[in-house]
């Protein structure tokens, strides 16, 4: 059941913001995967905002809730911020299956549609299928792909990719990486090495470390966000698989807890199914 249906049910037969009501609202938010800490923050915010025993209706409650959620989410910042240097470089991280390759493909499509030159780097050299999958997206979006053999050094692929991007006057370079969370020290070293190699070519790059999370996995996604943040400096989030699920609550919890801006959401498997994250729109959609 989605948040809206739960709220509708919650409000039925009630017309005052009482302690009892706030307890029930807390349950609704937690069961919608908002997470305990963020839920408490929202409830406390509502308590400050509205006086007890106030009469309200469902629409009013949704508005109060929307205002409160918007106020706790970090402000939207566009991908790559306002750095002026070109090419822009993003390292894309995340565990297998979350939709990392698909998100890179959708991003490549977005940028090529804006007439930007895109180069993809297949630095997930650990998984055999990863290079092939990225190759398919490169063909689909008519982008250059830089790859080496399965098992080769990811930092070497990153080096080749950035060098190639520079020589081709690329606008955007998207580098896929292997997300081996079970081996955090390796992951940390690998990402640090890639970062250093890239910095040697373009000092202020990578301009973005984009973590891709599967929004349908609830608190699991939050756990991954924490782990990746310990392994590297994650600067942006892309949350996938928000189509057809009632899991929008996850987004609120992750963004609040991690204080990392969400830049994109994935809403399907197709090439167009990537939306720029807009917190006002998102909360509006979640609560209407
Ligand atoms: P990776 O292992 O992280 O690179 O994951 P993939 O990009 O291969 O995606 C794993 C599966 O999730 C594929 O079947 C994708 O089509 C699917 N997928 C990716 N993003 C989305 C999304 O936003 N919505 C839905 N419904 N499926 C998605």
């Amino acid at each position: 059941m989605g948040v809206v249906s739960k709220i509708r049910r919650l409000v039925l037969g009630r017309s005052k913001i009482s302690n009892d009501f706030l307890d029930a609202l807390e349950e609704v938010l937690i069961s919608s995967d908002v997470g305990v800490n963020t839920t408490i923050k929202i409830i406390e915010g509502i308590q400050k905002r509205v006086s007890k025993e106030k009469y309200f209706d469902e629409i009013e409650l949704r508005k109060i809730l929307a205002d409160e959620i918007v106020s706790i989410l970090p402000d939207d910042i566009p991908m790559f911020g306002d750095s002026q240097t070109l090419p822009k470089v993003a390292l894309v991280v995340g565990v297998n299956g979350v939709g990392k390759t698909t998100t890179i493909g959708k991003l490549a499509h977005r940028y090529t549609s804006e007439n930007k030159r895109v180069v993809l780097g297949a630095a997930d050299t650990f998984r055999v299928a990863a290079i092939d999958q990225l190759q398919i997206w490169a063909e689909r979006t008519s982008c250059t792909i830089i790859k080496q053999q399965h098992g080769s050094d990811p930092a070497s692929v990153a080096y080749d990719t950035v060098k190639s991007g520079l020589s081709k006057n690329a606008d955007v370079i998207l580098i896929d990486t292997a997300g081996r969370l079970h081996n955090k020290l390796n992951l940390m070293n690998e990402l640090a090495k890639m970062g250093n190699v890239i910095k040697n070519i373009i000092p202020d790059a990578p301009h973005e470390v984009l973590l891709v999370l599967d929004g349908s996995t609830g608190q699991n996604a939050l756990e991954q966000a924490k782990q990746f943040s310990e392994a590297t400096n994650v600067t942006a989030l892309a949350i996938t698989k928000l189509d057809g699920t009632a899991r929008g609550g996850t987004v609120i919890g992750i963004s609040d807890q991690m204080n990392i801006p969400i830049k994109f959401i994935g809403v399907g498997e197709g090439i167009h199914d990537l939306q720029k994250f807009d917190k006002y729109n998102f909360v509006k959609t979640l609560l209407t």
Side-chain angles (χ1 to χ4, degrees), residues 138-152:
E139 283 162 18
R140 205 176 281 171
T141 55
S142 308
C143 292
T144 305
I145 177 170
I146 303 301
K147 55 182 184 174
Q148 293 180 10
Q149 281 166 340
H150 167 233
S152 56

Side-chain angles (χ1 to χ4, degrees), residues 5-14 20-21 24-26 28 61:
S5 327
K6 284 183 188 167
I7 288 176
R8 195 160 293 145
R9 193 185 269 195
L10 172 73
V11 173
L12 269 182
R14 299 185 212 234
D20 174 42
F21 172 80
L25 181 60
E26 190 173 305
V28 165
L61 175 68

Side-chain angles (χ1 to χ4, degrees), residues 43-60:
I43 298 289
E44 283 174 357
I46 293 177
Q47 274 173 320
K48 278 191 205 127
R49 205 179 276 251
V50 279
S51 52
K52 286 268 174 61
E53 305 305 314
K54 182 186 176 310
Y55 288 89
F56 70 97
D57 61 21
E58 188 195 324
I59 293 165
E60 240 181 310

Side-chain angles (χ1 to χ4, degrees), residues 5 17 62 107 109 217 228 249:
S5 327
I17 296 190
R62 276 197 259 150
L107 280 173
H109 171 71
T217 60
F228 269 96

